[in-house]
Amino acid sequence: MKKIIVLVSVILLSSQSIFSQKETTVVTIKNSESAPIINKNIYGHFAEHLGRCIYGGFFVGDTSKIPNTNGVRNDIIKALKELKIPNLRWPGGCFADTYHWKDGIGPKENRPTIVNQWWGGVTEDNSFGTHDFLNLCELLGTEPYLAGNMGSGTVQEMADWVQYVNFNGKSPMSDLRVKNGRKEPWKVKIWGVGNEAWGCGGNMTADYYAGEYRKYATFMSDWSNSGGLMRVASGASSDDYNWTETLMKNIPNQMLGGVALHHYSVIDWAKKGDGVDFDEDLYFKTMKQALKMEELVTKHSAIMDKYDPNKKIALVVDEWGGWYEVEKGSNPGFLYQQNTMRDAVLAGATLNVFNNHAERVRMANLAQCVNVLQAVILTDKTKMLLTPTYYIMQMYSVHQDAKLLPLTINSPSYTFNGESLPALSASASKDKNGLVHISLVNVDSKKPNTIEIDLNELGIKSVSGVIVTSSKLQDHNTFDNPTKIQPAVFKGFQIKKGKLEVVIPPFSVVTLEGK
């Protein structure tokens, strides 16, 4: 019999006894030949010239005493390789529509400086540019996703950037690339045509942006990628469904590779709440915003289906995550925040949504990779730590390029102050080796949940597991205690008559492997 492995990722929220919950939630998993592949690019990341993401994060310079490769920290390279990140978006964000790529090529001492007008008004010296980023992607074995400047740039500027990085023949831009030390093109396939055009990217209307997109896309020629470029249109903010409708109606399908969507789990833009010192009210409100992703993806996908019934155009959620007040004493423009078990729950629930909508959602980018917003890595000079979100992304990486297994779950409710949310979410997949993985998230901050999964048709006889847990929802890793939250052996499950019963303890992330 072929071996089948089941991975169950469960995210939970307190320290109550795992054996106090009697009600059982049955998860039914179905094999489906028509189910889509979960595109690995759903597990993408985002690196913007913002705060300490690039400078003081990824990039310390090649003269730094911190071990590095061409100025990029070796410990970050190692951590991201182990995370198997499939793509990395750069240079923004809002920064992208102020970025002129030619400022970041050639001898570093000759590069001009600019002011980062969006993020703290700091001086940007352009010491980390196109070559640095694309060479980093090669080191990581990840696909680069370049966000082009439509807001303050020109059509010619973006067309030249495509030629510079992709053209293998003789041309002004490819000659310039060779002069700057790179003979072979990088063959960048994924390109963002502007960013947040409705806001920092130019305060455009949807109709105006659709016309500009058509013009830019026309001149973004490619010669190096089979199938051409994947052009990603600047899409809607959260529930602006008119934006998606206008783009899908006014831009020919053949010009669109993807339409973006941005949604942050923010309780109030004027008063976002603390990243660590939060109560259950703030937690509930944050998770309410996070779980809204299901509604957003469903409704934006339905609009896209009207104009693209064959689902050839991807929904690209290239900015998502939790957004709180900055850490006390840090620069407000640097968006540096801590990362607690709340963020682990948020990440798991969101990734389940993306997995279950894999036929339309084919790329996403967590914001952001290092030292900004819901980062997977934090640094402090020579020190580096991995956040709870890092471990969730690592756990869910088993779904990359695996076949979706449709499932049903009748979730109990998580109720607070008279409002209710689904306490559980789930997604499942089968990889090319026949291994089955199931991810479950418990959103309830107090009650454990018992889940039952029928293993008979999966042929599973034995199960082992690991757990990530802590004593409080607000717990997090610090530079003084960087391993407070990390995986440990988990034994809170049993198999009875071919059925797996998992008692999901609050405040935990569980991975079960069955053979």
Side-chain angles (χ1 to χ4, degrees):
M1 180 180 290
K2 183 183 291 184
K3 286 185 178 179
I4 299 179
I5 293 183
V6 175
L7 179 70
V8 182
S9 308
V10 184
I11 301 182
L12 322 143
L13 315 169
S14 96
S15 58
Q16 301 176 24
S17 168
I18 64 174
F19 300 106
S20 62
Q21 181 80 356
K22 294 182 179 180
E23 182 181 354
T24 299
T25 298
V26 176
V27 177
T28 304
I29 304 171
K30 299 292 185 182
N31 283 290
S32 173
E33 290 301 318
S34 62
I37 298 298
I38 297 173
N39 195 308
K40 66 179 181 180
N41 283 319
I42 284 174
Y43 294 87
H45 291 262
F46 177 27
E48 184 170 6
H49 286 242
L50 195 174
R52 294 189 300 110
C53 183
I54 301 298
Y55 304 111
F58 277 98
F59 191 70
V60 292
D62 55 13
T63 62
S64 174
K65 293 181 180 179
I66 298 173
N68 66 85
T69 300
N70 296 324
V72 177
R73 293 178 66 129
N74 289 342
D75 51 4
I76 288 182
I77 292 172
K78 179 176 183 292
L80 294 182
K81 279 186 174 181
E82 292 175 354
L83 199 55
K84 300 177 183 177
I85 70 168
N87 71 78
L88 185 59
R89 181 175 180 239
W90 176 88
C94 290
F95 181 81
D97 280 298
T98 63
Y99 183 67
H100 300 282
W101 67 269
K102 288 183 180 178
D103 291 346
I105 61 173
K108 293 183 188 292
E109 63 272 15
N110 295 337
R111 298 180 188 180
T113 59
I114 63 171
V115 174
N116 192 332
Q117 68 184 69
W118 292 112
W119 306 119
V122 296
T123 298
E124 160 71 54
D125 68 2
N126 284 302
S127 57
F128 188 90
T130 296
H131 288 248
D132 305 276
F133 173 71
L134 295 179
N135 291 342
L136 166 62
C137 289
E138 286 187 334
L139 277 174
L140 295 175
T142 193
E143 188 89 11
Y145 172 14
L146 291 178
N149 180 352
M150 177 189 281
S152 66
T154 65
V155 173
Q156 184 68 57
E157 183 178 13
M158 197 178 297
D160 284 348
W161 202 11
V162 175
Q163 187 181 105
Y164 185 87
V165 302
N166 281 4
F167 189 53
N168 198 29
K170 183 174 177 57
S171 74
M173 292 300 104
S174 57
D175 286 350
L176 182 58
R177 182 190 69 239
V178 172
K179 178 182 177 182
N180 288 329
R182 174 77 183 200
K183 181 179 179 182
E184 299 297 324
W186 289 280
K187 299 182 180 181
V188 177
K189 186 176 181 66
I190 309 170
W191 292 79
V193 186
N195 168 79
E196 295 189 357
W198 38 264
C200 63
N203 282 305
M204 304 177 194
T205 64
D207 284 308
Y208 181 84
Y209 172 75
E212 287 294 285
Y213 177 93
R214 293 171 64 137
K215 181 170 66 174
Y216 273 73
T218 298
F219 291 96
M220 293 172 68
S221 300
D222 185 60
W223 309 266
S224 302
N225 293 289
S226 59
L229 303 179
M230 178 182 177
R231 301 173 183 85
V232 179
S234 173
S237 173
S238 294
D239 58 0
D240 185 354
Y241 301 114
N242 176 68
W243 188 278
T244 299
E245 181 96 38
T246 301
L247 267 55
M248 293 300 299
K249 181 171 60 177
N250 293 336
I251 301 173
N253 281 12
Q254 65 269 22
M255 298 182 79
L256 278 170
V259 175
L261 169 65
H262 290 180
H263 177 65
Y264 287 98
S265 301
V266 180
I267 61 170
D268 185 339
W269 284 104
K271 191 176 182 181
K272 304 180 187 72
D274 197 87
V276 174
D277 297 326
F278 58 90
D279 56 16
E280 186 173 7
D281 179 59
L282 291 180
Y283 169 74
F284 187 92
K285 289 175 178 176
T286 301
M287 290 311 303
K288 183 179 180 181
Q289 286 299 312
L291 295 177
K292 189 178 179 181
M293 187 66 81
E294 173 69 33
E295 173 189 328
L296 296 175
V297 167
T298 298
K299 290 185 176 181
H300 283 290
S301 295
I303 293 168
M304 296 176 73
D305 287 348
K306 289 168 54 179
Y307 301 93
D308 175 35
N310 294 323
K311 303 183 191 300
K312 293 186 177 181
I313 301 168
L315 180 59
V316 179
V317 191
D318 56 16
E319 289 188 29
W320 67 272
W323 193 325
Y324 320 118
E325 300 293 349
V326 301
E327 283 294 289
K328 295 177 181 65
S330 66
N331 187 322
F334 284 7
L335 305 187
Y336 177 77
Q337 63 189 42
Q338 252 298 350
N339 196 293
T340 67
M341 285 298 297
R342 170 175 62 173
D343 297 286
V345 176
L346 191 160
T350 302
L351 292 170
N352 280 342
V353 173
F354 296 159
N355 287 346
N356 289 327
H357 288 271
E359 61 183 1
R360 181 64 80 179
V361 180
R362 296 199 288 277
M363 190 160 75
N365 299 80
L366 175 67
Q368 292 186 11
C369 198
V370 183
N371 290 332
V372 172
L373 298 177
Q374 193 173 339
V376 293
I377 295 171
L378 301 178
T379 67
D380 180 15
K381 298 177 182 176
T382 61
K383 298 177 182 179
M384 187 200 80
L385 65 79
L386 306 178
T387 69
T389 300
Y390 177 95
Y391 293 114
I392 303 312
M393 297 291 284
Q394 185 178 57
M395 181 177 296
Y396 275 61
S397 67
V398 295
H399 295 298
Q400 292 185 18
D401 285 342
K403 189 177 184 65
L404 179 71
L405 294 177
L407 56 76
T408 57
I409 176 172
N410 186 15
S411 173
S413 295
Y414 164 41
T415 302
F416 179 77
N417 276 352
E419 288 192 85
S420 294
L421 297 173
L424 297 171
S425 73
S427 65
S429 67
K430 179 184 289 187
D431 70 17
K432 62 183 179 181
N433 297 316
L435 308 181
V436 174
H437 305 97
I438 308 167
S439 295
L440 303 163
V441 177
N442 180 3
V443 178
D444 200 306
S445 66
K446 294 177 180 177
K447 296 179 182 178
N449 278 283
T450 301
I451 291 179
E452 180 183 279
I453 302 170
D454 191 340
L455 300 181
N456 285 314
E457 107 178 48
L458 301 177
I460 291 173
K461 303 299 181 183
S462 64
V463 176
S464 61
V466 294
I467 185 171
V468 175
T469 191
S470 199
S471 60
K472 294 190 305 179
L473 183 58
Q474 295 82 2
D475 282 348
H476 55 281
N477 292 334
T478 67
F479 294 107
D480 292 329
N481 188 4
T483 58
K484 182 179 182 66
I485 297 174
Q486 61 177 346
V489 175
F490 174 66
K491 297 182 179 179
F493 59 88
Q494 56 186 336
I495 298 176
K496 290 183 178 180
K497 297 180 180 180
K499 293 185 177 180
L500 175 67
E501 183 181 274
V502 184
V503 183
I504 306 177
F507 261 129
S508 306
V509 178
V510 176
T511 299
L512 298 179
E513 183 172 276
K515 297 182 180 180

